[in-house]
């Protein structure tokens, strides 16, 4: 299943153009945000209710199902009245049980609607499951979960780093719950979207939600991550569906977990080097030498002592710490 379309509906023309191209690619569900939960006030906050008729027009013209984000009961009511087929609850809203409950109440009696629940912005699987349960308890049975990554405090390759173990655990607990990936919000960069989309399919995800805009650089929201129509066509054309062989599926899941660990290792080393450079400046001001042998011996001894309990060889830990120290010294000398 592929859900695609602009981050935000901007004009009637933009919606219908995007829908027409996506429909030609065989995509069945058009997404477009009307009420945008923006971090800062004053950013483009969506066209609101007027966009419902633009989506309705795209639905009539193409036969696609239409999808938008709801955050308030008033949004839900307006969408139901306008014939929106699929609603999604955004990451910021999933994080708030009061808001999800209010949405669930507004949904009661509308069993035909499909509701997709994005993961909350923080990596709390119970909060995600709780939101899914609130929607289910309102009588909605067409439900899907969307993994859109998690906010992290450190620099990362991603805008919202994926934590693959989280959706994998959700799938393990609820095998019949369709699980989609949103590589647009995970990567935050259009050139990384296709890779993450394919990784997720390899892991057994059931579908994709992807942001597509006829002219991404002019988009009023998320302009770095939206795909052009041509890039979306290429992505769809190059996707390979997963191999149903259980062993190879398991292998590719494990490999994604390894990739995630490697991302974390490099990100952490990069953060360490940031501190190292700050220390370098302090040493320079204090007229101290860059290499402080006593301090390094202390670090080595401390980390080697941890090796066994971490199931690592002492010699490996020693070599790794020496390598990291070497880079640290180079960074303090060259001030990269
Ligand atoms: C969106 O899909 O445009 C959106 C705002 O998503 P999220 O809730 O994942 O940030
Ligand atoms: Mn967006």
């Amino acid at each position: 299943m592929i859900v695609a379309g602009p981050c935000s509906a901007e004009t009637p023309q933009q919606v219908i153009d995007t829908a027409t191209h996506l429909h030609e690619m065989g995509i069945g569900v058009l997404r477009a945000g009307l009420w945008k939960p923006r971090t800062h006030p004053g950013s483009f906050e969506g066209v609101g209710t007027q966009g419902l008729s633009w989506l309705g027009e795209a639905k009539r013209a193409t036969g696609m199902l239409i999808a938008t984000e709801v955050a308030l009961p008033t949004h839900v009511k307006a969408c139901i009245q306008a014939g929106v087929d699929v609603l999604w609850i955004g990451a910021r809203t999933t994080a708030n049980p009061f808001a999800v409950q209010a949405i669930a109440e507004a949904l009661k009696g509308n069993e035909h609607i499909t509701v997709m629940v994005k993961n909350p912005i923080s990596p709390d699987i119970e909060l995600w499951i709780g939101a899914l349960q609130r929607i289910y308890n309102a009588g909605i049975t067409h439900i899907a979960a969307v993994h859109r990554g998690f906010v992290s405090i450190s620099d990362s390759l991603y805008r919202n780093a994926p934590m693959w173990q989280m959706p994998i655990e959700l799938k393990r607990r609820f095998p019949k719950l369709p699980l989609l990936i949103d590589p647009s919000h995970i990567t935050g960069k259009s050139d990384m979207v296709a890779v993450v989309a394919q990784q997720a399919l390899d892991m057994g995800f059931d579908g994709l939600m992807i942001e597509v805009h006829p002219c991404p650089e002019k988009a009023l929201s998320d302009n770095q991550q939206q795909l052009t129509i041509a890039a979306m066509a290429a992505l769809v054309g190059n996707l390979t569906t997963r191999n149903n062989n259980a062993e190879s599926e398991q292998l590719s899941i494990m490999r994604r977990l390894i990739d995630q660990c490697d991302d974390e290792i490099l990100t952490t080393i990069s953060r360490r080097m940031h501190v190292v450079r700050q220390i370098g400046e302090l040493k320079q001001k204090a007229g101290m030498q860059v290499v402080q042998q006593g301090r390094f011996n202390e670090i080595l001894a401390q980390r080697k002592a941890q090796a066994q309990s971490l199931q690592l060889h002492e010699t490996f830990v020693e070599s790794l710490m020496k390598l990291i120290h070497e880079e640290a010294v180079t960074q303090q000398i060259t001030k990269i």
Side-chain angles (χ1 to χ4, degrees):
M1 200 228 296
I2 305 184
V3 180
C7 175
S8 305
E10 296 170 3
T11 64
Q13 198 61 42
Q14 170 236 22
V15 172
I16 194 77
D17 282 356
T18 316
T20 309
H21 288 295
L22 294 174
H23 176 62
E24 277 166 16
M25 293 173 211
I27 290 164
V29 188
L30 173 71
R31 66 149 280 157
L34 302 179
W35 301 280
K36 301 301 297 177
R38 304 309 298 280
T39 302
H40 297 287
S43 312
F44 172 66
E45 287 181 328
V47 297
T49 318
Q50 60 170 326
L52 286 167
S53 63
W54 310 349
L55 289 179
E57 183 48 35
K59 178 172 167 167
R60 268 189 299 282
T62 62
M64 292 172 88
L65 300 181
I66 49 177
T68 199
E69 173 172 350
V70 290
L72 296 171
T74 49
H75 300 160
V76 176
K77 299 285 184 214
C79 286
I80 290 168
Q81 224 174 11
V84 177
D85 307 282
V86 181
L87 306 181
W88 81 82
I89 298 181
R92 292 160 193 77
T93 308
T94 307
N96 179 351
F98 289 124
V100 177
Q101 188 58 38
I103 291 170
E105 301 293 338
L107 280 164
K108 278 188 182 154
N110 293 284
E111 297 76 18
H112 61 285
I113 299 252
T114 297
V115 179
M116 304 190 291
V117 181
K118 292 201 175 192
N119 64 253
I121 49 174
S122 55
D124 182 342
I125 194 169
E126 299 305 332
L127 204 50
W128 195 4
I129 292 172
L132 290 158
Q133 284 167 336
R134 286 176 198 279
I135 300 304
Y136 183 77
N137 291 346
I140 305 295
T141 50
H142 304 296
I143 304 181
V146 184
H147 180 37
R148 52 78 77 199
F150 298 95
V151 164
S152 61
I153 49 160
S154 54
D155 293 344
S156 160
L157 297 170
Y158 303 95
R159 180 178 177 200
N160 293 288
M163 290 193 184
W164 298 113
Q165 67 271 38
M166 205 77 74
I168 290 169
E169 173 61 11
L170 190 70
K171 195 80 181 158
R172 191 187 66 75
R173 289 209 228 167
F174 305 96
K176 290 199 196 123
L177 176 72
L179 180 61
L180 276 68
I181 185 84
D182 173 350
S184 306
H185 288 92
I186 286 182
T187 63
K189 290 180 210 77
S190 52
D191 59 356
M192 286 172 69
V193 168
V195 173
V196 173
Q198 186 61 56
Q199 287 179 344
L201 288 194
D202 293 345
M203 276 187 278
F205 277 65
D206 305 293
L208 313 169
M209 182 194 259
I210 297 188
E211 289 189 340
V212 181
H213 192 287
C215 188
E217 66 275 17
K218 295 214 176 114
L220 300 180
S221 57
D222 290 352
N223 62 0
Q224 306 285 308
Q225 71 192 31
Q226 301 203 57
L227 297 190
T228 59
I229 305 284
M232 183 61 184
L235 180 151
V236 173
N238 292 332
L239 281 179
T240 52
T241 41
R242 75 187 141 109
N243 184 338
N244 274 331
N245 171 322
E247 255 168 46
S248 74
E249 204 176 295
Q250 190 62 22
L251 188 64
S252 77
I253 289 174
M254 305 306 281
R255 287 193 170 141
R256 290 292 79 83
L257 294 177
I258 291 285
D259 289 346
Q260 185 183 325
C261 291
D262 290 346
D263 280 348
E264 287 167 8
I265 290 170
L266 280 187
T267 307
T268 306
I269 292 180
S270 157
R271 212 167 62 234
R272 188 187 194 282
M273 293 304 162
H274 180 73
V275 179
V276 158
R277 288 191 294 274
Q278 289 176 327
I279 292 180
E281 281 170 24
L282 289 179
K283 282 182 187 163
Q284 196 175 24
K285 275 195 199 128
M288 284 165 73
Q289 286 177 346
V290 164
V291 180
Q292 300 280 322
Q293 204 58 54
R295 166 70 180 144
F296 182 52
N297 285 338
E298 210 177 275
I299 291 177
L300 262 189
Q302 193 184 351
R303 298 303 160 189
K304 277 165 70 179
Q306 286 178 320
Q308 202 178 8
S309 65
L310 293 171
Q311 292 183 285
L312 296 170
H313 290 106
E314 217 180 277
T315 49
F316 165 72
V317 173
E318 181 168 358
S319 315
L320 180 65
M321 292 316 297
K322 282 184 176 161
L323 207 56
I324 290 174
H325 183 250
E326 197 178 306
E327 172 70 3
V329 171
T330 309
Q331 293 234 1
Q332 287 189 345
I333 289 171
T334 59
K335 298 199 201 79
I336 291 175

